Every structure is written in C-alpha cells, then in structure tokens.
Amino acid sequence: MPQQFANFINGEWVESPEVSPNINPSNLDDVIGEFARADAEQTQRAIRAAADAFATWSLSTPQQRFDVLDRTGSALLERKEELGRLLAREEGKTVAEGIGEVGRAGQIFKFFAGEALRIGGEIVPSVRPGLTVEVTREPLGVIGLITPWNFPIAIPAWKIAPALAYGNCVVLKPADLVPASAWELVKIIAQAGAPHGVINLVMGRGTVVGEALVASPLVNAISFTGSVATGRAIAARCVASGKKVQLEMGGKNPMVVLDDADLDVAVEACINGAFFSTGQRCTASSRLIVTEGIHDRFVEAMKARMVTLKIGDALAAETHIGPVVDAKQLQQDEDYIRIAREEGGEVFGGERVPGASKGYFLAPALITGTNNAMRINREEVFGPVASVVKAKDYDEALALANDTEFGLSAGICTTSLRHATHFKRHVQAGMVMVNVATAGVDYHVPFGGRKGSSYGPREQGSYAREFYTIVKTAYVAS
Ligand code: NDP
C-alpha cells in the first residue's frame, strides 16, 4: 500500500476523497506515494485559514519572520541530499541536479530571512510646509501560488519565501505531477514555526484547485509559473477581478555562437543549456544561432559531445540526463522532432533509449538545417531538443535572436568584447548570458523575462518585494 500524503490546511493534515499516484518517470513501477487531490471546498477552507492568519502574521515582527524562514533554510540545507534524491525520483532530473535545486531552495529561504529584517521605508520632506511624508511597504494579504512540475521545490521556495518574509499568508498549489517535494517543503516550514494558516498546501488539479484560487475574492494576488496558455487565461481573470498577478511562462531562448567563440566553451554552454535537466527548463537554449565560419565545426563538436552523454535512471550516479517527466511530455517532444523533420530539418539523436527500468528515456536531439520561421524555432518544446539556425554574421544573429514572441533568457558565445557588450544591450530578454549557459541563475538577483515570457514584477532577489508588498504614503503634520 503506497504511503498517503494529505493536504496541509490551517495547521492540520487533511485528506481528500480523491488521491493521485506520484510515479517515478525513471521507473514506472515505482510509486512514491498517493497524494491528496483536493476539491474546491477544501481549497476554500485553506484560503479562509490564510485570510484569518493574516490578521496576526501581517503584524508579526521581522524577527519572528526571520526565525521561521532561517530555520526553514537550515533544514533544507541539512537535508538536501535526501530531498534531492526525492526530487530526482519524482521529476526525473539527476540526483546532482536535485540536490542542487534543494540547496538553492535553502539559500532562497536564508536570503529572504534577511530581507524580512531589511524592510525599510522612506521619510521624504513634503513640498508643503509643516508636513512630513512617509513611504512604507505593507503585505498584500493571501497569495495563491500555482507552480509547475519542472522545479518542484525551487519554484515553490522562491514564491513562498518572499511572500512570508513580507508578512503575507500563502495557499500553495503545486503541480499535480510532482507534489512530494512541495509536501516536504511545507512540512519543514510548519516545523520551523509558521503559525497555523500562514502556509497552506492544497494539492490537486489546476482545473479544480487552481481555478478556485483564481476565483476566490479572498485571494489578493496570484503568482504563477507554467505554460503561456494557462498563464494568460489566469491573468485575464485576475485583471478582471482586480487581483495582483505575476506570470513566468515559456521561452524559446537563443544562444548565439559567433565565429570568434572559444569552441569548447560554446559547446559546453550549449550542451548544458539545451540538454541538462532533460531540457525541461524555461531558460533552456532551444535555438542555437551559429555564424557561418564556425557552424560546421560547432555542429560536429556538439554531436561528438552528445554521444558521450549517459541517458538513464535519474538516481544512478553515472546519469547525465534523466527521463522526460511523463508520457504526455514525451509525446510532445517526439511530435516536435517529427514536425522539424517534416519541415526539412536534419535530426541527430532524438530516439528513445532503452533503460534498465521502464521509463521515459529520450536521447537529446540536435536539429540542423533549420530556419527561424519553422515551428521548431517558434514554439516551446520543453524537452532535450535544440535546433541550429545558421546566420551570416553578428547582425543577422542578433536579429534572429530577437525574432521570437518570447524573451526570457538569451546567450552569446564570443571572445569579442564589442559584440558581447552590444548583445547585452540590444537582445530583447530579461536575462543575458555571456559565454555561459542560458539556464542556471543565482538566487539573490531578479529572475524574469520580457515579451510573451513574463508578466508583472520580477521574481527573486530584493526585486521580489515589488510583487509581494503594497506601498503606503502617509502625510504627517508636525
Ligand atoms: P500548465 O501551465 O498547465 O501548469 C502549470 C500549473 O498551472 C500547474 O500547477 C497546473 O496544475 C496549473 N493549472 C493548470 N490549469 C489551470 C487552471 N485552469 N487554473 C489554474 N491553474 C491551472 O503547464 P503543464 O504543467 O501542463 O505543462 C504544459 C507545458 O507548459 C509544458 O509542456 C511546457 O511547454 C510548459 N511549461 C513551461 C514552464 C516554464 O517554466 N516556462 C513550466 C512548466 C511547463 P496541474 O498540475 O493540475 O496541471
């Protein structure tokens, strides 16, 4: 009988009538547990608990909030090996990547523990005599957090930590596919001393739990990460009901490789950016835009490096690339590989790999001979699939990089300071990488994109306060 995992509502573990099995994508016979699937009524209870808790948590001292967040961060760092394995088991990234992600979640809590102490304000002289103006920040209220499956602990962490640091209460709906890491995180936050109702976990379907969060008049703001279609639909409803909303969505991130690039540096940046974490990162380098002089050498070096990558069980020490997360995503990856081939692209790799266990193993695919108008270069695949677009020179490469509806991350590999400097200024992306992969970011600086990739204030770093607080301006007569 698999272990049962309940929702966490108002400080209590609450079972649901329905459960969902959490299956290891490296080994479909391995069931991690059965996780509650809440209904709309349970979601309402969690929202009400958060609204009730807000009355006291919003007035708690910075020290109280620091203590809860700091203890959470310490527990995550202490348990990162164990939780990293759990994460790898439920999502399919390698154990090293899983441990790295849990460590990152721990650091995020430590960072926002400090931020709780640093909430300041401004005192501004009034333009009128006898008055002083004070500008301060206050928490918003109840925040609904809706998170995707590809970073099962880091994304919940980078939304929960600032929400709590600034005095808000939270209802978290993790991805239905990977609830185990989020479940452990919420348990740790509760054990770290978060009062009842301050953090609530409601697991289940987006169409039930997510919908109920977006619809509730007691929820003051929604922070969402996931697909463009779902994000845009949520934003429209939040705007209509006056909720604050923040979206992080897809990418079709370009990595430009110029003739003067260090070939080894470029290949490592592209292998990492395109294929690590099975390409299931919104910052993945899915378009490799390569100038003519280096194109053929680059493609050959990529292929030579790709055949050295070991695809297999996420929990095996020798694995470089774990499985695709589920059957639906595998189908999507294979559909795009087929579409690219039908459009005239030449596919290297991209075939299913037999494993020791039943799992969704797919070899990374490099698609050459593509142009930027093809669907493979316009739509997010979200798998270990990258295409190569040949460019005449730097100017054309930059134009191709910007010819997309997305704008999350962009990279350039070059030894030219002039081109690197120009690219940093002119590429239309929220994050720019020079001689380093488009994926993989620090935890203490802003994260987010432009154009169709993001909406609303940035996440992470001190910039997170723009979303999780509201400004008050007070006029005081002396
Ligand atoms: P979704 O956008 O559907 O899911 C993201 C989150 O939103 C999940 O928690 C989901 O719940 C929830 N959700 C779904 N429908 C609703 C709704 N109507 N109201 C409120 N919440 C909802 O993405 P998927 O996980 O289905 O992945 C689909 C594609 O999205 C991927 O193939 C990939 O292309 C892209 N994606 C992009 C990510 C990014 O970071 N850029 C991250 C993940 C996916 P539930 O778990 O029940 O589906």
Side-chain angles (χ1 to χ4, degrees), residues 146-147 149 173 176 206 211 224 227 230 249 282 329 332:
I146 302 175
T147 58
W149 48 260
K173 189 219 103 54
D176 196 32
E211 288 276 337
F224 167 89
S227 65
T230 309
M249 302 175 286
C282 47
Q329 186 63 50
Q332 179 168 312

Side-chain angles (χ1 to χ4, degrees), residues 324-340:
V324 173
V325 74
D326 73 348
K328 187 169 149 234
Q329 186 63 50
L330 181 62
Q331 185 64 54
Q332 179 168 312
D333 297 350
E334 291 187 319
D335 284 349
Y336 273 109
I337 292 170
R338 178 182 48 77
I339 290 165

Side-chain angles (χ1 to χ4, degrees), residues 86-167:
L86 173 68
L87 198 162
R89 191 172 156 216
E90 74 167 341
E91 198 270 351
K93 60 184 66 176
T94 64
V95 173
E97 290 169 335
I99 293 171
E101 185 177 331
V102 177
R104 178 192 169 92
Q107 299 291 11
I108 287 167
F109 272 90
K110 293 276 181 187
F111 176 84
F112 281 105
E115 286 297 281
L117 301 175
R118 281 189 285 269
I119 305 171
E122 290 174 89
I123 297 182
V124 183
S126 171
V127 294
R128 290 176 280 163
L131 280 178
T132 303
V133 185
E134 294 169 6
V135 183
T136 52
R137 287 181 181 272
E138 294 181 3
L140 296 174
V142 178
I143 318 279
L145 305 179
I146 302 175
T147 58
W149 48 260
N150 60 332
F151 284 91
I153 205 162
I155 295 181
W158 81 52
K159 294 180 190 296
I160 295 170
L164 300 188
Y166 299 123

